[in-house]
Amino acid sequence: MINLDDYKLKTIEEGLTKIQFPEYEKVSSDAPVFYNPQMELNRDISILALQTYQNEQKREINICDLFGGSGIRGVRYKNEIDGVGKVYINDISELANRFEKHNVELNSLEDIEIHQHDASMFLRLNRGEFDVIDIDPFGTPSPFLDSAGYCARRESLLCVTATDTSALCGTYKEPCIRKYNSKPYKSEYCHETGIRILAGFCAMTLSKYAKCIEVLLSHSTEHYMRLYLKIKKGSKRTDETLKNMGYISHCKECLYRETSKGLATSTPDICPECGQKLIQAGPLWLGNIQNKEIYHKND
Ligand SMILES: C[S@@+](CC[C@H](N)C(=O)[O-])C[C@H]1O[C@@H](n2cnc3c(N)ncnc32)[C@H](O)[C@@H]1O
């Protein structure tokens, strides 16, 4: 039986929400319950994005916070977004669950369920239940995208965080190939390339389930990347969106670059500007990575 009195508690406020968790020395996955103040902006933007989505749906939405930690995200979603029905907060850790429950009570909220499952298992047990699935794990979201693809419903919103930016940006090539099946390249625009590799991997994974993505919003901030994907269904539509997959060829001498759409396409070898050998990155998403129309929907 977990007793909160056994812990020295830290109290913080974010947005309109107050939460408590066990004090820790430094932000790391070794903290008894994870809370990272650096992610406040990520959560603030999430609230705006989810509110925009809810306004567009014109009905109550159910949200799954798949990696709850302290519960800050799910609790803020229920507390600060209009038109939210049920929020499901899941975490594999029993201690995290205990604090999630405590933080729900601290904010006097109802209609929040707390669950303790492996993330993929939780999604599969609740296939088609959620309007929003929020994947905010330690490091890469890659192992969980198959279950998200299998379970996400038509017109739902999939939010994905990745903190393994050294892989996506090409500081470490092999982990990116292993986790995202894509070759990165560390250029001066490697954060955009990283976002495109992540989006491409989501598109390819979801395509197995005849689902496709529209990237509504994406950003690379500090140590993480974040995507907001609208999910659509249909094999023909999915085939069509996969035409957005391709490669970028980059010249490190004169910074010339060009893109080639298609998965089994030919890419240029030699820079047409200076004659140096071009370097390829990909496969990655060459479609839109922002939908500017949604920026003003909350004005
Ligand atoms: C980065 S933290 C979540 C942070 C939280 N979303 C926030 O905004 O503060 C990741 C959480 O995932 C949990 N976790 C790790 N592996 C998991 C798994 N396979 N299934 C579900 N939860 C998991 C950890 O216990 C940890 O609380």
Side-chain angles (χ1 to χ4, degrees):
M1 179 73 176
I2 296 169
N3 188 347
L4 262 53
D5 295 335
D6 294 341
Y7 296 89
K8 189 165 179 222
L9 299 189
K10 185 168 169 70
T11 305
I12 61 100
E13 281 182 42
E14 254 188 40
L16 306 173
T17 305
K18 185 195 265 192
I19 64 152
Q20 295 185 317
F21 49 86
E23 265 202 343
Y24 54 77
E25 294 263 308
K26 66 175 178 108
V27 176
S28 97
S29 55
D30 292 336
V33 173
F34 188 83
Y35 169 79
N36 186 353
Q38 254 191 310
M39 288 300 222
E40 182 171 356
L41 177 67
N42 177 325
R43 289 183 282 267
D44 288 345
I45 294 174
S46 299
I47 284 166
L48 289 173
L50 268 62
Q51 185 67 74
T52 305
Y53 172 75
Q54 190 278 330
N55 292 348
E56 182 195 277
Q57 296 296 304
K58 298 188 179 70
R59 58 178 173 80
E60 283 202 334
I61 55 169
N62 294 332
I63 303 173
C64 171
D65 174 10
L66 198 55
F67 298 86
S70 64
I72 179 73
R73 193 172 283 274
V75 171
R76 284 194 68 187
Y77 288 170
K78 182 69 189 173
N79 207 18
E80 298 177 34
I81 301 173
D82 294 331
V84 173
K86 233 183 204 163
V87 173
Y88 301 77
I89 303 181
N90 178 69
D91 200 289
I92 205 163
S93 151
E94 189 185 2
L95 185 62
N97 278 187
R98 182 68 193 87
F99 276 88
E100 287 154 4
K101 187 168 183 294
H102 172 70
N103 288 322
V104 169
E105 287 163 3
L106 196 64
N107 290 277
S108 311
L109 294 171
E110 286 174 358
D111 279 338
I112 302 189
E113 287 186 15
I114 310 291
H115 294 270
Q116 186 186 7
H117 284 287
D118 168 72
S120 292
M121 189 72 82
F122 184 68
L123 285 175
R124 282 168 191 267
L125 286 170
N126 295 283
R127 186 178 184 206
E129 283 298 311
F130 311 120
D131 298 294
V132 179
I133 297 174
D134 196 316
I135 301 185
D136 183 45
F138 292 134
T140 178
S142 161
F144 309 105
L145 286 170
D146 251 298
S147 297
Y150 178 66
C151 300
R153 70 185 191 208
R154 190 190 301 269
E155 293 299 309
S156 64
L157 185 68
L158 178 62
C159 314
V160 181
T161 311
T163 58
D164 55 339
T165 50
S166 57
L168 286 161
C169 289
T171 307
Y172 302 110
K173 195 168 77 180
E174 287 76 11
C176 189
I177 294 171
R178 264 190 274 114
K179 292 187 273 187
Y180 300 103
N181 309 146
S182 179
K183 183 173 158 283
Y185 180 66
K186 195 162 174 59
S187 65
E188 70 276 16
Y189 52 92
C190 62
H191 291 90
E192 179 178 339
T193 317
I195 290 263
R196 291 184 180 282
I197 288 175
L198 180 59
F201 185 74
C202 292
M204 292 298 292
T205 305
L206 267 67
S207 73
K208 292 185 225 171
Y209 309 99
K211 291 177 194 168
C212 54
I213 62 166
E214 180 195 352
V215 186
L216 296 181
L217 177 64
S218 62
H219 61 111
S220 173
T221 306
E222 296 177 344
H223 66 292
Y224 67 91
M225 293 178 184
R226 177 86 165 157
L227 298 181
Y228 296 86
L229 309 173
K230 183 87 161 282
I231 306 303
K232 315 238 162 122
K233 270 181 92 170
S235 40
K236 278 217 174 90
R237 194 183 236 175
T238 301
D239 294 344
E240 208 43 49
T241 58
L242 286 187
K243 292 182 183 159
N244 285 310
M245 293 299 296
Y247 297 84
I248 185 155
S249 304
H250 174 88
C251 176
K252 67 177 177 190
E253 282 305 312
C254 72
L255 308 186
Y256 171 84
R257 78 274 321 236
E258 76 174 73
T259 55
S260 313
K261 281 195 173 178
L263 276 169
T265 187
S266 60
T267 53
D269 247 0
I270 300 297
C271 176
E273 296 292 335
C274 71
Q276 290 297 314
K277 197 166 164 35
L278 292 170
I279 297 159
Q280 273 74 33
L284 42 71
W285 180 257
L286 294 173
N288 288 338
I289 52 170
Q290 311 290 349
N291 176 343
K292 289 190 180 148
E293 274 177 31
I294 71 157
Y295 293 168
H296 302 290
K297 286 203 171 155
N298 267 335
D299 285 355

